[in-house]
Amino acid sequence: MSMNNDDYPSSFIQTIINNDIKAGKNGGRVHTRFPPEPNGYLHIGHAKSICLNFGTAARNGGVCNLRFDDTNPTKEEIEFVESIKADVRWLGFDWEDRLYYASDYFEQLFDYAVQLIKLGKAYVCDLNAEEIKEYRGTLTQPGKESPYRDRPVKESLELFNQMRAGEFADGTRVLRARIDMASPNLNMRDPVLYRILREIHHRTGDEWCIYPMYDYAHPLSDYIERITHSLCTLEFEDHRPLYDWILESLGLENRPQQIEFARLNLTHTVMSKRILRELVEKNFVNGWDDPRMPTISGLRRRGVGPKAIRDFCERIGVAKSNSTVDVALLEHCIREDLNMRAGRVMAVLRPLKVVIENYPEGVVEELEADNNPENPAMGSRKIPFSRELYIEQEDFMEDPPKKFFRLSPGKEVRLKHAYIIKCEQVIKDPITNEVAELHCTYDPDTLSGMAGSTRKVKGTLHWVSAPHAVKATVRLYNHLFQSENPGEGELGYQDEINPESLEVLDSCWLEPGLKQATLEDRYQFLRQGYFALDPIESHQDSLVLNRIVSLRDSWVRAQKSGA
Ligand code: ATP
Ligand code: MG
């Protein structure tokens, strides 16, 4: 039942699965799950887990469930459930009819807890949270047994039922596993399995006032769904003995196997849900889908495609030790995805007016421009050329240094897809004395692509025809955090936020074809980067575009220089 695995880079997880299949474990089945807690929006780290879980199942002829780990009603909301479903789907994965909620198993989980009590493997403990912590001991000191540890099974059973019936106040009693207070693994020192908590749950309402702990609910949810390989992040390695203990103690057969992998960390990025939530709540960003956020919804809004994210997850692979991936690799994958499909167009972000003095007034030429030299199948389009144009302010210098090959007084440049022009006169604003306009002449014998247009000049500039151009607002993004590893140095993450993470340019001029741009279209603005319409704020009569990524590929550069 396994597909050919040769196309995929192998991983230690695939090795385990290959061995399991060979040994006939689980009848050769591979069944995984992605288990988000609905307490925030998914981020690029979750994407790694999604790609790994769905990908591992797919390449081994298996299936993957989507399961909401909704055991903690204080922090969970339906908004998050919906966003998570949308994000997983958008990433290109399909859970088919296998959408589950840990809360669907509350009754079963309760029954299993009753069994554990009957087996003498769980007990109701009357210590409060503080006392439990005190009794727990430390890494160097064993814990102390609870005075309630040896209470009769019958008494625990009764108390547990009373807990469920709402007879005790929140926090006054818990159900604990009876394992070993002297275990070197703190997770095994009689961990709490159930707590009393009067909270309305987004699915079960007020039906329950006791809730299972994650460490208890997770292995059993995996078991109930017949998961074979339970892939989770490294911080759960020390919880694995408890995962196994719960299933073994209940005498369950065909148990799922927990396998840990390293979490994704990215430079210049925070991945903690708590911090992401704070960024939103304290208005450091404009919502979970702010294009500067590492959330799936932020990346999507920015214009990143799902293929780029899947490709990135494939390239980083899975390992058993934590490391930090250079965000430049993600950007590289985004460029690779866009390169072949993004139409090349011209857009002037900081305009400077140019008047071609020897070009007749009222005349408009439609010039041929290829849409993507990397992908000739994308064809070409016509762009208007006229007497008045815009070029980029930074493409002109009145008093340039030696190697400035752009426009300056008396110098020539080529306008992309058009003519060679020469700067004849600089018009200044009489009040500010800033350059307001350039008067140029053009050489009619130098039209790009025409016979006789062989004259060469060093610089080529992008431009748009002023009377035809479409006005737009363009947003440029930089890393949200200045430091490479935000939150890890002396400063709190708030002090490391990049004050220049967002630059809004509100009088940009685009070539007229962009009036027809749709939300699906991706563009490369020549020399400026890749852009897409903002799906929320862009409207037909006021275009707003996001820069998805610049053109400078620091990943490729670093690889070439061996860094
Ligand atoms: P929390 O601290 O709220 O539990 P979490 O990031 O673990 O945050 P979950 O919703 O529990 O969030 O995560 C769902 C799944 O995604 C888990 O299996 C988790 O291990 C995995 N995951 C979360 N963050 C990353 C990451 N940075 N890299 C890889 N996998 C991750
Ligand atoms: Mg978690």
Side-chain angles (χ1 to χ4, degrees):
M1 81 189 285
S2 76
M3 298 181 342
N4 184 356
N5 297 323
D6 296 347
D7 296 346
Y8 299 96
S10 207
S11 70
F12 75 97
I13 294 177
Q14 189 58 52
T15 304
I16 294 173
I17 291 178
N18 289 345
N19 290 336
D20 287 350
I21 292 173
K22 230 178 270 163
K25 198 175 163 189
N26 303 303
R29 275 187 323 116
V30 173
H31 197 154
T32 57
R33 85 286 170 266
F34 172 64
E37 187 181 345
N39 62 351
Y41 280 64
L42 296 182
H43 54 57
I44 181 83
H46 293 114
K48 173 177 179 176
S49 179
I50 295 167
C51 291
L52 180 62
N53 276 295
F54 281 91
T56 298
R59 72 187 58 158
N60 291 286
V63 289
C64 179
N65 298 354
L66 174 60
R67 180 202 312 144
F68 286 101
D69 216 320
D70 56 351
T71 50
N72 186 3
T74 44
K75 293 192 291 181
E76 294 157 3
E77 289 170 38
I78 293 174
E79 175 196 351
F80 299 134
V81 169
E82 292 310 318
S83 77
I84 289 169
K85 287 200 275 189
D87 287 351
V88 174
R89 234 180 255 126
W90 178 80
L91 275 173
F93 298 104
D94 188 0
W95 55 86
E96 297 171 318
D97 57 352
R98 297 176 310 278
L99 172 64
Y100 301 113
Y101 295 83
S103 57
D104 293 341
Y105 312 135
F106 280 171
E107 197 64 52
Q108 267 166 292
L109 297 178
F110 181 85
D111 290 344
Y112 280 128
V114 166
Q115 274 189 54
L116 283 176
I117 298 172
K118 286 182 178 162
L119 289 164
K121 291 177 186 289
Y123 61 97
V124 170
C125 180
D126 303 358
L127 296 180
N128 62 31
E130 215 165 284
E131 291 164 327
I132 288 181
K133 209 169 145 204
E134 234 177 78
Y135 276 63
R136 203 166 174 230
T138 62
L139 280 172
T140 49
Q141 283 192 320
K144 227 168 45 176
E145 295 189 349
S146 159
Y148 306 98
R149 195 172 200 263
D150 294 319
R151 80 184 345 156
V153 165
K154 197 165 158 278
E155 196 178 303
S156 274
L157 274 180
E158 263 164 37
L159 287 168
F160 189 47
N161 277 305
Q162 284 174 292
M163 278 169 63
R164 177 179 181 170
E167 291 176 26
F168 307 122
D170 286 11
T172 54
R173 285 186 170 82
V174 290
L175 182 74
R176 296 177 71 174
R178 196 166 181 280
I179 310 179
D180 178 7
M181 287 308 290
S183 171
N185 183 342
L186 274 88
N187 296 304
M188 298 299 271
R189 295 185 186 171
D190 291 12
V192 172
L193 305 181
Y194 268 89
R195 64 217 195 280
I196 307 174
L197 189 65
R198 284 172 177 76
E199 281 285 347
I200 300 296
H201 187 280
H202 71 109
R203 287 176 64 83
T204 57
D206 64 356
E207 193 184 330
W208 293 87
C209 64
I210 57 171
Y211 289 96
M213 303 300 289
Y214 174 87
D215 276 346
Y216 173 70
H218 202 78
L220 288 167
S221 303
D222 282 346
Y223 174 78
I224 291 166
E225 292 175 18
R226 301 185 71 225
I227 300 303
T228 56
H229 300 85
S230 181
L231 313 180
C232 67
T233 36
L234 227 44
E235 69 273 19
F236 290 103
E237 196 166 20
D238 289 345
H239 298 239
R240 188 178 352 123
L242 178 55
Y243 182 102
D244 291 336
W245 182 91
I246 290 166
L247 299 171
E248 275 168 29
S249 297
L250 288 164
L252 302 173
E253 307 269 330
N254 300 318
R255 296 191 285 272
Q257 178 185 1
Q258 174 178 306
I259 304 169
E260 308 86 14
F261 65 93
R263 188 173 263 279
L264 170 66
N265 299 302
L266 269 185
T267 57
H268 300 285
T269 309
V270 298
M271 217 77 93
S272 147
K273 262 195 238 175
R274 179 185 62 79
I275 296 179
L276 294 178
R277 183 192 273 258
E278 274 178 29
L279 288 171
V280 174
E281 284 170 358
K282 297 185 178 167
N283 295 315
F284 288 114
V285 294
N286 305 311
W288 287 96
D289 66 349
D290 186 302
R292 290 167 292 177
M293 291 281 273
T295 50
I296 305 298
S297 48
L299 291 163
R300 175 171 59 229
R301 179 161 179 193
R302 186 158 171 162
V304 173
K307 184 170 173 297
I309 298 177
R310 292 196 303 266
D311 184 41
F312 170 71
C313 292
E314 194 75 56
R315 289 184 64 158
I316 56 176
V318 282
K320 198 79 194 164
S321 62
N322 281 316
S323 63
T324 301
V325 175
D326 191 337
V327 72
L329 175 60
L330 174 61
E331 291 165 359
H332 173 74
C333 293
I334 295 170
R335 281 185 201 98
E336 275 201 340
D337 173 39
L338 292 167
N339 182 36
M340 292 301 274
R341 63 190 176 103
R344 272 56 169 171
V345 295
M346 295 198 284
V348 173
L349 304 187
R350 299 170 183 88
L352 172 61
K353 179 73 119 353
V354 169
V355 178
I356 314 284
E357 289 173 325
N358 61 339
Y359 197 86
E361 265 177 78
V363 169
V364 180
E365 270 180 282
E366 296 288 335
L367 307 181
E368 187 86 9
D370 53 356
N371 287 331
N372 188 343
E374 306 272 331
N375 182 3
M378 288 178 71
S380 64
R381 67 190 182 288
K382 299 280 190 193
I383 48 172
F385 184 87
S386 71
R387 183 181 157 88
E388 295 198 359
L389 314 169
Y390 290 118
I391 64 165
E392 212 67 64
Q393 281 166 22
E394 62 174 25
D395 283 339
F396 172 78
M397 275 181 97
E398 196 171 9
D399 192 12
K402 262 212 180 98
K403 294 218 160 153
F404 188 78
F405 297 123
R406 294 175 258 174
L407 205 54
S408 53
K411 291 280 159 58
E412 288 190 319
V413 289
R414 172 169 290 285
L415 295 179
K416 180 80 179 169
H417 302 307
Y419 299 97
I420 291 176
I421 61 166
K422 182 177 180 183
C423 177
E424 307 283 357
Q425 197 189 349
V426 182
I427 314 287
K428 303 232 172 135
D429 183 306
I431 297 162
T432 64
N433 206 34
E434 278 174 21
V435 178
E437 206 172 286
L438 302 178
H439 284 198
C440 299
T441 50
Y442 86 116
D443 177 347
D445 294 330
T446 56
L447 182 60
S448 287
M450 290 293 158
S453 69
T454 47
R455 198 148 75 79
K456 290 251 178 339
V457 287
K458 277 226 160 117
T460 300
L461 306 186
H462 62 272
W463 55 276
V464 293
S465 166
H468 303 92
V470 195
K471 199 162 190 185
T473 296
V474 166
R475 298 181 186 143
L476 306 180
Y477 301 102
N478 283 305
H479 299 144
L480 185 53
F481 292 95
Q482 278 166 315
S483 52
E484 208 166 284
N485 299 301
E488 283 180 16
E490 306 267 282
L491 297 169
Y493 76 88
Q494 302 193 0
D495 296 317
E496 296 179 282
I497 293 179
N498 180 1
E500 283 156 24
S501 62
L502 169 62
E503 190 180 354
V504 180
L505 303 171
D506 55 13
S507 46
C508 306
W509 294 100
L510 321 179
E511 63 175 72
L514 271 92
K515 243 180 280 184
Q516 272 80 51
T518 69
L519 292 182
E520 283 70 44
D521 290 325
R522 297 292 177 270
Y523 295 98
Q524 186 190 107
F525 291 179
L526 292 181
R527 303 165 69 212
Q528 303 283 11
Y530 290 99
F531 292 80
L533 292 182
D534 186 281
I536 295 172
E537 283 168 44
S538 191
H539 302 285
Q540 191 120 58
D541 44 5
S542 75
L543 298 181
V544 180
L545 292 104
N546 296 318
R547 179 155 75 185
I548 308 167
V549 65
S550 69
L551 293 177
R552 202 173 336 119
D553 196 325
S554 53
W555 176 257
V556 166
R557 278 201 206 177
Q559 300 307 300
K560 279 189 184 144
S561 68

